[in-house]
């Protein structure tokens, strides 16, 4: 088995991503309550079922009147109008505003027939005041108003039949409001990928167990599940499998039947107890088992019944970087997102960045804007061991050192893949 691993070609990161994406098909739509559409890709057009707003209404608390009545109004020559009554949002005034008349009106209330303009309450004086019973009072205006002032048109947002949200749109909070406004309590969105997560290793015990001699706690299942969730997937932790061909084979076979993607960490290299390659070639097709990256050289892409089964490195940090670089784009694509690349910040290195071999190196690092100069500075974590989770917990980016032996010296500019900013965000 190790011969397979030894003799396999090492694929470039770019080719590995492309290969995985070629199997990451957009999933089918599902109907969800509108609140669950937040941040997801719409699978249907949303057409307005009515004019929004359905009627012309007041944008202010004030008086609805005819602009022509107050055209000549000035402090020396104020206009005085008779107040017919008062209406609030949700009520309809049955009468018609005639010349010389005004109606006390609240924001959102339907414009009364005959009125064409609203003058805000702060700009008028009222005589014979009675807030509760405005009928019979007079409103005094000392200035004219532009025709239509403070009146929101019927259909300002949309006319009945207008396309408000196109299929493919990523719904944000305002979009949820539009779904409500158009009477769509349920909506079709692309469903989330169900991702099975397995860890293989004879040394592994659960997080609530006390490890015996030679044992460690299984952390990969949990960090990967969190990363899957952050990518919009639905993780399903299937737990630990032993370093045993049959056990791994059965676990993967079952997982493939019920999931859209299967992740298994550990056992991905060519050691005597590494079975991922062997099992995946028995169950399906292996497309590669080595990627020219660090951390995470040993990573296996298998396709079993059209499902991506991915063997991640066992080292905790390598498993996470492998997921981020190779699988997160695929999970995004499966959800219908067209933005599948994280934003990149160019930043100046605060230290030398040594390159231990010719693989593409993803350094766990922190990028921050320097307050004094305004420029971005990036500091790689001191210990880049692929076993260390704390380096990734502290990091907010991956500094990319391209293939080849050249590292980067302090003060050189590098590209930082932002782990703290979602795909599609302009920075
Ligand atoms: P492997 O890829 O199986 O050779 O594992 C590489 C390293 O990662 C070893 O030190 C393993 O003990 C460790 N490792 C493998 N799986 C896990 C896991 N689920 N959680 C934490 N560490 C792991
Ligand atoms: Mg192992």
């Amino acid at each position: 088995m190790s011969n397979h691993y030894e003799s396999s070609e090492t694929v470039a990161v770019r080719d590995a991503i492309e290969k995985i994406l070629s199997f990451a098909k957009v999933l089918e739509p599902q109907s969800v309550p509108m609140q669950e559409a937040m941040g997801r890709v719409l699978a249907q057009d949303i057409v307005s079922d009515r004019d929004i707003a359905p009627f012309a209404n007041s944008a202010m608390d004030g008086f609805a009147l005819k602009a022509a009545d107050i055209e000549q109004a000035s402090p020396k020559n104020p206009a005085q109008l008779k107040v017919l009554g008062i209406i609030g949002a949700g009520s309809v005034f049955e009468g018609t505003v005639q010349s010389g008349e005004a109606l006390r009106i609240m924001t959102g209330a339907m414009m009364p027939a005959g009125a064409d303009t609203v003058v805000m309450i702060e700009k008028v004086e009222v005589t014979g005041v009675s807030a509760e019973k405005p009928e019979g009072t007079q409103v005094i205006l000392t200035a004219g108003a532009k025709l239509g002032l403070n009146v929101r048109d019927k259909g300002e947002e949309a006319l009945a039949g207008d396309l408000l949200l196109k299929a493919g749109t990523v719904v944000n909070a305002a979009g949820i409001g539009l779904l409500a406004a158009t009477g769509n309590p349920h909506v079709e969105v692309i469903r989330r990928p169900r991702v099975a997560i397995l860890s293989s290793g004879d040394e592994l015990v659960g997080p609530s167990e006390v490890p015996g001699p030679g044992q460690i706690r299984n952390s990969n299942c949990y960090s990967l599940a969190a990363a899957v969730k952050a990518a919009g997937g639905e993780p399903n932790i299937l737990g630990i499998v032993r370093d045993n061909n049959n056990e791994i084979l059965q676990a993967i076979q079952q997982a493939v039947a019920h999931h859209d993607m299967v992740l298994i960490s550990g056992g991905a290299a060519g050691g005597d107890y590494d079975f991922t390659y062997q099992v995946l070639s028995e169950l399906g097709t292996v497309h590669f088992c080595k990627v020219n990256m660090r951390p995470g050289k040993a990573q296996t892409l298998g396709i079993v019944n059209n499902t991506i089964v991915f063997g991640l490195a066992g080292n905790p940090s390598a498993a996470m970087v492998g997921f981020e670089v190779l699988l997160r784009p695929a999970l995004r694509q499966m959800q219908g997102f067209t933005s599948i690349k994280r934003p990149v910040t160019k930043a100046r290195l605060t230290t030398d960045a040594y390159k231990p071999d010719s693989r593409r190196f993803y350094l766990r690092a922190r990028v921050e804007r320097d307050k004094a100069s305004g420029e971005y500075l990036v500091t790689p974590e001191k210990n880049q061991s692929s076993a260390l989770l704390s380096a990734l917990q502290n990091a907010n980016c991956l500094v990319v050192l391209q293939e080849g032996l050249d590292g980067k010296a302090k003060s050189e500019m590098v590209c930082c893949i932002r782990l703290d900013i979602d795909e599609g965000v302009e920075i």
Side-chain angles (χ1 to χ4, degrees):
M1 198 276 299
S2 62
N3 283 344
H4 278 125
Y5 182 80
E6 295 304 330
S7 59
S8 289
E9 193 194 335
T10 303
V11 299
V13 175
R14 180 194 298 252
D15 295 339
I17 294 172
E18 204 177 299
K19 188 51 105 184
I20 296 168
L21 287 176
S22 74
F23 293 106
K25 300 283 177 276
V26 179
L27 298 171
E28 66 279 11
Q30 66 171 159
S31 175
V32 295
M34 65 179 166
Q35 304 267 210
E36 283 174 34
M38 181 64 189
R40 296 176 72 177
V41 176
L42 265 186
Q44 67 170 105
D45 289 340
I46 297 296
V47 171
S48 192
D49 66 333
R50 60 192 56 230
D51 296 347
I52 304 175
F55 45 83
N57 63 92
S58 178
M60 291 286 172
D61 293 340
F63 285 88
L65 45 74
K66 288 179 185 292
D69 277 358
I70 59 168
E71 218 169 16
Q72 306 298 329
S74 70
K76 279 192 183 148
N77 180 27
Q80 188 161 328
L81 305 175
K82 181 182 157 210
V83 179
L84 292 175
I86 181 166
I87 54 162
S91 316
V92 178
F93 181 70
E94 299 295 350
T96 300
V97 175
Q98 309 285 355
S99 185
E101 296 175 343
L103 182 71
R104 178 92 170 89
I105 193 167
M106 304 299 152
T107 304
M110 188 172 173
M111 282 296 284
D116 52 34
T117 301
V118 172
V119 175
M120 61 200 282
I121 187 79
E122 292 85 345
K123 301 236 159 134
V124 305
E125 211 185 295
V126 184
T127 62
V129 181
S130 162
E132 296 77 32
K133 238 181 143 290
E135 294 95 318
T137 58
Q138 302 279 318
V139 57
I140 297 164
L141 299 110
T142 53
K146 214 172 136 227
L147 179 69
L149 184 74
N150 296 328
V151 177
R152 290 190 293 224
D153 289 339
K154 166 181 159 82
E156 186 186 30
E157 175 95 50
L159 295 174
D162 277 358
L163 178 59
L164 266 176
L165 295 168
K166 261 207 198 125
T169 302
V170 179
V171 182
N172 64 16
I176 301 286
L178 287 174
L179 295 175
T182 50
N184 284 284
H186 288 86
V187 67
E188 296 273 315
V189 295
I190 305 295
R191 76 171 172 83
R192 298 185 186 282
R194 285 188 292 267
V195 183
I197 303 171
L198 289 159
S199 284
S200 82
D202 287 340
E203 73 279 34
L204 302 175
V205 299
S208 52
E209 289 175 61
V210 179
Q215 296 184 323
I216 58 165
R217 293 197 179 101
N218 163 26
S219 60
N220 288 352
C221 270
Y222 304 94
S223 52
L224 288 169
V228 164
K229 196 160 182 215
E234 267 174 18
N236 184 16
I237 296 175
L238 297 182
I240 300 164
V241 281
R242 296 297 148 207
D243 289 324
N244 165 299
N245 189 307
N246 261 347
E247 208 177 306
I248 297 173
L249 189 137
Q250 278 181 20
I252 290 181
Q253 213 164 18
Q254 276 190 19
V256 164
H258 301 107
H259 298 86
D260 304 300
M261 183 186 278
V262 179
L263 303 179
I264 178 163
S265 70
D272 292 348
Y273 299 113
D274 293 338
F275 294 103
T276 306
Y277 185 104
Q278 192 179 322
V279 166
L280 291 183
S281 18
E282 277 177 53
L283 288 174
T285 312
V286 173
H287 289 269
F288 58 76
C289 62
K290 279 185 284 189
V291 185
N292 195 23
M293 65 186 274
R294 183 189 179 101
K297 181 179 176 188
Q299 302 194 77
T300 311
L301 172 64
I303 299 296
V304 180
N305 296 341
N306 291 319
T307 303
I308 294 171
V309 182
F310 201 84
L312 287 159
N315 272 311
S317 194
M320 300 238 57
V321 172
F323 175 84
E324 170 64 36
V325 171
L326 301 174
L327 297 165
R328 186 173 155 113
L331 285 182
R332 301 266 312 169
Q333 181 166 288
M334 290 164 90
Q335 291 165 81
F337 293 109
T338 47
S339 299
I340 57 170
K341 280 195 176 149
R342 292 271 207 188
V344 168
T345 301
K346 290 216 167 115
R348 199 175 291 287
L349 275 170
T350 60
T351 58
D352 289 346
Y354 165 71
K355 211 152 176 288
D357 63 33
S358 68
R359 284 181 272 163
R360 181 183 290 192
F361 199 0
Y362 292 98
L363 290 164
R364 279 71 78 200
R366 255 207 103 71
V367 61
E368 254 142 31
R369 198 195 277 273
D370 180 52
K371 287 211 177 71
S373 66
E375 93 173 331
Y376 281 107
L377 300 178
V378 61
T379 308
E381 286 289 314
K382 282 206 176 63
N383 189 338
Q384 293 288 328
S385 158
S386 54
L388 294 187
L389 282 172
S390 39
L392 257 179
Q393 167 66 52
N394 296 338
N396 65 354
C397 71
L398 296 173
V399 168
V400 185
L401 300 182
Q402 293 296 341
E403 291 83 349
L405 283 168
D406 298 335
K408 292 274 183 187
K410 179 178 173 176
S411 294
E412 283 197 82
M413 297 300 284
V414 289
C415 286
C416 311
I417 299 174
R418 298 298 296 261
L419 302 175
D420 52 352
I421 309 177
D422 279 349
E423 296 84 345
V425 177
E426 296 280 342
I427 57 168

